Amino acid sequence: MNRKEQLGVMVLLFLMCISVLLNLLFPILRPPKPMSYQIVQLANEVDSVAKVKETTSYNLKSNDKPHKAPQYVKFDPNTLPLAGWVVMGLSERQAAAVIKYRERGGKFNRPEDLAKMYTISPENYQAMLPYISIAKSNDLPPNPEGFTRPSFPSYPKKDTKVIIDINRADTSEWMKLRGIGPGFSRRIVKYRSQLGGFVAVDQLAEVYGLPPETLEQIRPQLMLTLENIQRLKINGLSAMALAKHPYVRLKDAKTIVNYRQHHGPFQSMTDLQKILSLDAAFFRKIELYLDFEN
Protein backbone atom coordinates (compact mmCIF):
# COMPACT_ATOMS: atom_id res chain seq x y z
CA MET A 1 0.00 0.00 0.00
CA ASN A 2 1.51 3.31 -1.10
CA ARG A 3 1.52 6.52 0.93
CA LYS A 4 -1.57 7.94 -0.82
CA GLU A 5 -3.67 4.89 0.01
CA GLN A 6 -2.52 4.98 3.62
CA LEU A 7 -3.60 8.61 3.91
CA GLY A 8 -7.03 7.76 2.50
CA VAL A 9 -7.52 4.98 5.04
CA MET A 10 -6.56 7.30 7.91
CA VAL A 11 -9.04 9.97 6.76
CA LEU A 12 -11.80 7.35 6.52
CA LEU A 13 -11.08 6.10 10.05
CA PHE A 14 -11.09 9.67 11.36
CA LEU A 15 -14.48 10.37 9.81
CA MET A 16 -15.88 7.14 11.28
CA CYS A 17 -14.68 8.17 14.78
CA ILE A 18 -16.30 11.60 14.42
CA SER A 19 -19.60 9.95 13.37
CA VAL A 20 -19.61 7.61 16.40
CA LEU A 21 -18.78 10.49 18.77
CA LEU A 22 -21.64 12.62 17.41
CA ASN A 23 -24.10 9.75 17.83
CA LEU A 24 -23.10 9.44 21.48
CA LEU A 25 -23.32 13.17 22.26
CA PHE A 26 -26.49 13.98 20.29
CA PRO A 27 -29.03 12.66 22.90
CA ILE A 28 -27.27 14.71 25.57
CA LEU A 29 -27.01 17.95 23.60
CA ARG A 30 -30.45 17.68 21.95
CA PRO A 31 -32.92 20.28 23.40
CA PRO A 32 -36.00 18.81 25.25
CA LYS A 33 -39.17 18.38 23.27
CA PRO A 34 -42.06 20.72 24.19
CA MET A 35 -44.74 19.27 26.50
CA SER A 36 -47.49 17.74 24.43
CA TYR A 37 -51.01 19.16 24.48
CA GLN A 38 -52.34 15.98 26.13
CA ILE A 39 -49.91 16.29 29.07
CA VAL A 40 -50.79 19.96 29.58
CA GLN A 41 -54.50 19.10 29.50
CA LEU A 42 -54.01 16.28 32.05
CA ALA A 43 -52.16 18.65 34.40
CA ASN A 44 -55.00 21.16 34.16
CA GLU A 45 -57.56 18.43 34.96
CA VAL A 46 -55.59 17.33 38.04
CA ASP A 47 -55.46 20.92 39.25
CA SER A 48 -59.23 21.27 38.77
CA VAL A 49 -59.91 18.09 40.78
CA ALA A 50 -57.73 19.38 43.61
CA LYS A 51 -59.67 22.64 43.70
CA VAL A 52 -63.00 20.78 43.79
CA LYS A 53 -61.79 18.63 46.72
CA GLU A 54 -60.66 21.74 48.56
CA THR A 55 -64.07 23.39 48.25
CA THR A 56 -65.91 20.25 49.47
CA SER A 57 -63.67 19.34 52.42
CA TYR A 58 -66.44 19.82 54.98
CA ASN A 59 -69.05 17.70 53.17
CA LEU A 60 -69.66 14.24 54.57
CA LYS A 61 -69.85 12.87 51.00
CA SER A 62 -69.17 14.51 47.64
CA ASN A 63 -72.65 13.61 46.35
CA ASP A 64 -74.47 15.70 48.98
CA LYS A 65 -77.21 17.70 47.33
CA PRO A 66 -76.55 21.45 47.09
CA HIS A 67 -78.83 23.57 49.26
CA LYS A 68 -80.23 27.06 49.07
CA ALA A 69 -78.64 30.14 50.58
CA PRO A 70 -78.69 29.80 54.41
CA GLN A 71 -81.38 31.62 56.40
CA TYR A 72 -80.54 32.21 60.06
CA VAL A 73 -82.89 32.48 63.03
CA LYS A 74 -82.35 32.37 66.78
CA PHE A 75 -82.02 28.71 67.81
CA ASP A 76 -80.98 26.29 70.55
CA PRO A 77 -78.67 23.56 69.14
CA ASN A 78 -80.01 21.14 71.77
CA THR A 79 -83.54 21.26 70.36
CA LEU A 80 -83.30 22.41 66.74
CA PRO A 81 -84.81 19.76 64.40
CA LEU A 82 -83.13 18.47 61.26
CA ALA A 83 -85.04 20.85 58.96
CA GLY A 84 -83.73 23.81 60.93
CA TRP A 85 -80.10 22.78 60.43
CA VAL A 86 -80.68 22.37 56.70
CA VAL A 87 -82.21 25.85 56.43
CA MET A 88 -79.08 27.25 58.10
CA GLY A 89 -76.69 25.79 55.55
CA LEU A 90 -76.01 22.14 56.48
CA SER A 91 -76.69 19.26 54.12
CA GLU A 92 -79.18 16.63 55.24
CA ARG A 93 -76.33 14.20 55.99
CA GLN A 94 -74.50 16.77 58.11
CA ALA A 95 -77.70 17.72 59.94
CA ALA A 96 -78.46 14.03 60.58
CA ALA A 97 -75.01 13.64 62.18
CA VAL A 98 -75.79 16.45 64.65
CA ILE A 99 -79.18 14.90 65.50
CA LYS A 100 -77.53 11.49 66.00
CA TYR A 101 -74.97 13.05 68.35
CA ARG A 102 -77.82 14.46 70.50
CA GLU A 103 -79.75 11.16 70.48
CA ARG A 104 -76.67 9.42 71.91
CA GLY A 105 -76.64 11.76 74.87
CA GLY A 106 -74.51 14.57 73.45
CA LYS A 107 -75.32 18.10 74.64
CA PHE A 108 -74.18 21.60 73.75
CA ASN A 109 -73.52 23.51 76.97
CA ARG A 110 -71.77 26.48 75.33
CA PRO A 111 -71.79 27.89 71.79
CA GLU A 112 -68.15 26.78 71.48
CA ASP A 113 -69.26 23.14 71.76
CA LEU A 114 -70.93 23.45 68.36
CA ALA A 115 -67.58 24.29 66.75
CA LYS A 116 -66.26 20.88 67.84
CA MET A 117 -68.69 19.06 65.52
CA TYR A 118 -66.68 17.77 62.55
CA THR A 119 -69.70 18.18 60.27
CA ILE A 120 -69.82 21.95 60.88
CA SER A 121 -67.15 23.99 59.13
CA PRO A 122 -65.59 27.07 60.76
CA GLU A 123 -67.48 29.21 58.23
CA ASN A 124 -70.83 27.61 59.17
CA TYR A 125 -70.10 28.06 62.86
CA GLN A 126 -69.13 31.74 62.54
CA ALA A 127 -72.30 32.44 60.55
CA MET A 128 -74.49 30.66 63.15
CA LEU A 129 -72.74 32.06 66.23
CA PRO A 130 -74.78 35.30 66.61
CA TYR A 131 -78.01 33.27 66.54
CA ILE A 132 -77.11 30.55 69.09
CA SER A 133 -79.21 30.73 72.26
CA ILE A 134 -78.77 27.80 74.66
CA ALA A 135 -81.53 27.50 77.26
CA LYS A 136 -80.35 27.73 80.88
CA SER A 137 -83.43 26.05 82.37
CA ASN A 138 -85.68 23.10 81.66
CA ASP A 139 -88.02 25.36 79.67
CA LEU A 140 -87.91 24.97 75.90
CA PRO A 141 -86.84 28.13 74.00
CA PRO A 142 -89.30 30.01 71.76
CA ASN A 143 -90.24 27.90 68.77
CA PRO A 144 -88.45 29.13 65.58
CA GLU A 145 -90.94 30.13 62.92
CA GLY A 146 -91.76 27.29 60.57
CA PHE A 147 -90.27 24.51 62.72
CA THR A 148 -92.01 21.80 64.74
CA ARG A 149 -90.98 21.85 68.38
CA PRO A 150 -89.50 18.43 69.24
CA SER A 151 -90.71 16.51 72.27
CA PHE A 152 -88.23 15.13 74.80
CA PRO A 153 -88.65 12.57 77.59
CA SER A 154 -88.86 14.07 81.07
CA TYR A 155 -86.06 12.98 83.40
CA PRO A 156 -86.09 13.15 87.20
CA LYS A 157 -85.11 16.51 88.67
CA LYS A 158 -81.56 16.50 90.06
CA ASP A 159 -81.53 16.67 93.86
CA THR A 160 -78.30 17.42 95.73
CA LYS A 161 -79.79 15.91 98.91
CA VAL A 162 -80.26 12.43 97.41
CA ILE A 163 -77.99 9.69 98.80
CA ILE A 164 -77.73 6.45 96.85
CA ASP A 165 -76.09 3.08 97.49
CA ILE A 166 -73.86 2.42 94.50
CA ASN A 167 -74.39 -1.36 94.79
CA ARG A 168 -78.17 -1.15 94.94
CA ALA A 169 -79.22 1.88 92.88
CA ASP A 170 -80.93 1.20 89.55
CA THR A 171 -80.65 3.44 86.48
CA SER A 172 -83.51 5.74 87.55
CA GLU A 173 -81.84 6.40 90.93
CA TRP A 174 -78.48 7.18 89.29
CA MET A 175 -80.21 9.75 87.07
CA LYS A 176 -81.20 11.77 90.14
CA LEU A 177 -77.56 12.81 90.49
CA ARG A 178 -76.28 15.91 88.74
CA GLY A 179 -74.25 15.04 85.65
CA ILE A 180 -75.61 11.48 85.34
CA GLY A 181 -77.95 11.02 82.38
CA PRO A 182 -79.44 7.88 80.84
CA GLY A 183 -76.20 6.94 79.07
CA PHE A 184 -73.95 7.10 82.15
CA SER A 185 -76.55 5.44 84.37
CA ARG A 186 -76.72 2.43 82.04
CA ARG A 187 -72.92 2.21 81.83
CA ILE A 188 -72.54 2.31 85.61
CA VAL A 189 -75.10 -0.45 86.23
CA LYS A 190 -73.62 -2.60 83.44
CA TYR A 191 -70.06 -2.21 84.75
CA ARG A 192 -71.21 -3.02 88.29
CA SER A 193 -72.74 -6.25 86.98
CA GLN A 194 -69.52 -7.19 85.16
CA LEU A 195 -67.47 -6.61 88.31
CA GLY A 196 -69.83 -8.51 90.56
CA GLY A 197 -70.48 -5.36 92.61
CA PHE A 198 -68.40 -2.36 93.66
CA VAL A 199 -65.96 -2.75 96.53
CA ALA A 200 -64.89 0.92 96.51
CA VAL A 201 -66.44 4.20 95.38
CA ASP A 202 -63.27 4.98 93.40
CA GLN A 203 -64.15 2.15 91.00
CA LEU A 204 -66.68 4.50 89.42
CA ALA A 205 -63.71 6.27 87.83
CA GLU A 206 -63.29 3.14 85.68
CA VAL A 207 -66.70 3.64 84.02
CA TYR A 208 -66.04 4.54 80.39
CA GLY A 209 -66.36 8.26 79.67
CA LEU A 210 -67.41 9.36 83.17
CA PRO A 211 -65.65 12.73 83.76
CA PRO A 212 -63.53 12.89 86.94
CA GLU A 213 -65.15 16.21 87.87
CA THR A 214 -68.60 14.59 87.75
CA LEU A 215 -67.49 11.84 90.13
CA GLU A 216 -66.03 14.37 92.57
CA GLN A 217 -69.25 16.39 92.40
CA ILE A 218 -71.51 13.46 93.27
CA ARG A 219 -69.12 11.71 95.70
CA PRO A 220 -70.81 13.24 98.83
CA GLN A 221 -74.09 11.66 97.66
CA LEU A 222 -72.69 8.13 97.38
CA MET A 223 -72.64 5.34 99.94
CA LEU A 224 -71.38 1.76 99.67
CA THR A 225 -72.48 -1.53 101.17
CA LEU A 226 -70.46 -4.68 100.52
CA GLU A 227 -73.39 -7.06 100.56
CA ASN A 228 -73.83 -9.72 97.86
CA ILE A 229 -70.48 -9.20 96.15
CA GLN A 230 -70.17 -11.93 93.52
CA ARG A 231 -66.84 -13.66 93.99
CA LEU A 232 -64.80 -15.75 91.55
CA LYS A 233 -64.29 -19.39 92.55
CA ILE A 234 -60.68 -19.38 91.49
CA ASN A 235 -60.22 -23.11 92.08
CA GLY A 236 -63.09 -24.18 89.85
CA LEU A 237 -63.49 -21.66 87.00
CA SER A 238 -61.99 -22.14 83.55
CA ALA A 239 -59.67 -19.59 82.00
CA MET A 240 -62.47 -18.24 79.78
CA ALA A 241 -64.80 -17.84 82.76
CA LEU A 242 -62.13 -16.00 84.78
CA ALA A 243 -61.35 -13.70 81.85
CA LYS A 244 -64.94 -12.41 81.79
CA HIS A 245 -64.11 -10.29 84.84
CA PRO A 246 -62.92 -6.77 83.88
CA TYR A 247 -59.78 -7.11 86.00
CA VAL A 248 -58.59 -10.45 84.55
CA ARG A 249 -56.93 -10.59 81.14
CA LEU A 250 -57.23 -13.85 79.22
CA LYS A 251 -53.45 -14.25 79.30
CA ASP A 252 -53.41 -13.98 83.10
CA ALA A 253 -56.42 -16.29 83.42
CA LYS A 254 -54.62 -18.99 81.42
CA THR A 255 -51.53 -18.56 83.61
CA ILE A 256 -53.63 -18.97 86.79
CA VAL A 257 -55.39 -22.12 85.53
CA ASN A 258 -52.12 -23.64 84.29
CA TYR A 259 -50.43 -22.99 87.68
CA ARG A 260 -53.43 -24.51 89.49
CA GLN A 261 -53.28 -27.66 87.37
CA HIS A 262 -49.58 -28.16 88.17
CA HIS A 263 -49.55 -27.11 91.85
CA GLY A 264 -53.06 -27.88 93.09
CA PRO A 265 -55.81 -25.58 94.41
CA PHE A 266 -55.03 -22.14 95.79
CA GLN A 267 -55.54 -21.91 99.53
CA SER A 268 -55.14 -18.13 99.88
CA MET A 269 -53.76 -14.99 98.25
CA THR A 270 -50.32 -16.12 99.38
CA ASP A 271 -50.52 -19.08 97.01
CA LEU A 272 -51.73 -16.89 94.13
CA GLN A 273 -48.92 -14.40 94.71
CA LYS A 274 -46.41 -17.14 93.93
CA ILE A 275 -47.21 -16.56 90.26
CA LEU A 276 -44.43 -14.10 89.52
CA SER A 277 -45.87 -12.91 86.19
CA LEU A 278 -48.82 -11.31 88.02
CA ASP A 279 -48.05 -7.89 89.47
CA ALA A 280 -49.03 -6.20 92.73
CA ALA A 281 -51.61 -3.96 91.04
CA PHE A 282 -53.49 -7.04 89.82
CA PHE A 283 -53.52 -8.63 93.29
CA ARG A 284 -54.71 -5.41 94.90
CA LYS A 285 -57.65 -5.03 92.52
CA ILE A 286 -58.77 -8.65 92.36
CA GLU A 287 -58.32 -9.71 96.00
CA LEU A 288 -61.81 -8.84 97.24
CA TYR A 289 -63.41 -10.69 94.29
CA LEU A 290 -61.78 -14.09 94.95
CA ASP A 291 -63.27 -17.13 96.65
CA PHE A 292 -60.66 -19.75 97.61
CA GLU A 293 -63.09 -22.42 98.76
CA ASN A 294 -62.82 -25.71 96.84
Side-chain angles (χ1 to χ4, degrees), residues 71-77 79-81 84-85 87-88 127-135 141-147:
Q71 299 179 10
Y72 300 101
V73 295
K74 190 175 181 181
F75 73 100
D76 185 339
T79 60
L80 186 67
W85 293 106
V87 168
M88 285 193 287
M128 295 177 183
L129 185 57
Y131 302 92
I132 298 175
S133 177
I134 298 177
N143 186 33
E145 185 177 353
F147 301 145

Side-chain angles (χ1 to χ4, degrees), residues 99-245:
I99 300 299
K100 190 174 183 179
Y101 167 76
R102 290 194 329 218
E103 290 175 345
R104 290 183 173 180
K107 187 176 181 181
F108 303 102
N109 297 309
R110 300 176 301 276
E112 295 80 13
D113 293 341
L114 196 61
K116 299 176 183 178
M117 294 294 297
Y118 73 94
T119 57
I120 298 178
S121 70
E123 293 78 13
N124 286 144
Y125 170 69
Q126 290 299 328
M128 295 177 183
L129 185 57
Y131 302 92
I132 298 175
S133 177
I134 298 177
K136 296 182 180 180
S137 66
N138 293 329
D139 297 330
L140 288 174
N143 186 33
E145 185 177 353
F147 301 145
T148 302
R149 175 177 292 170
S151 59
F152 297 92
S154 58
Y155 299 127
K157 185 177 180 180
K158 310 298 182 178
D159 187 349
T160 57
K161 297 180 181 180
V162 170
I163 303 295
I164 68 170
D165 186 330
I166 66 174
N167 272 333
R168 295 178 177 177
D170 58 20
T171 54
S172 62
E173 290 179 280
W174 279 105
M175 288 169 56
K176 295 177 183 179
L177 303 180
R178 188 177 300 277
I180 304 297
F184 282 138
S185 63
R186 287 193 294 268
R187 290 182 194 176
I188 292 170
V189 172
K190 181 179 179 180
Y191 188 62
R192 181 181 68 195
S193 176
Q194 292 172 338
L195 285 172
F198 293 115
V199 294
V201 172
D202 287 338
Q203 287 177 291
L204 288 170
E206 300 167 8
V207 175
Y208 176 75
L210 184 65
E213 56 270 22
T214 299
L215 175 56
E216 292 308 310
Q217 179 177 273
I218 65 174
R219 187 183 289 273
Q221 297 176 254
L222 306 177
M223 61 174 291
L224 169 67
T225 58
L226 294 178
E227 298 177 1
N228 301 321
I229 300 298
Q230 297 177 14
R231 303 184 187 278
L232 302 172
K233 292 187 176 298
I234 195 168
N235 287 319
L237 293 176
S238 66
M240 294 300 296
L242 283 172
K244 290 181 179 179
H245 195 280

Side-chain angles (χ1 to χ4, degrees), residues 7-51:
L7 183 62
V9 171
M10 292 176 65
V11 171
L12 181 61
L13 291 173
F14 177 77
L15 292 176
M16 289 175 64
C17 291
I18 294 297
S19 176
V20 171
L21 184 61
L22 289 175
N23 286 334
L24 292 174
L25 295 176
F26 181 75
I28 301 174
L29 301 177
R30 181 176 56 188
K33 293 182 179 180
M35 186 180 293
S36 66
Y37 170 76
Q38 290 82 359
I39 296 177
V40 173
Q41 186 181 32
L42 178 60
N44 290 336
E45 291 176 355
V46 171
D47 185 61
S48 298
V49 170
K51 290 180 179 179

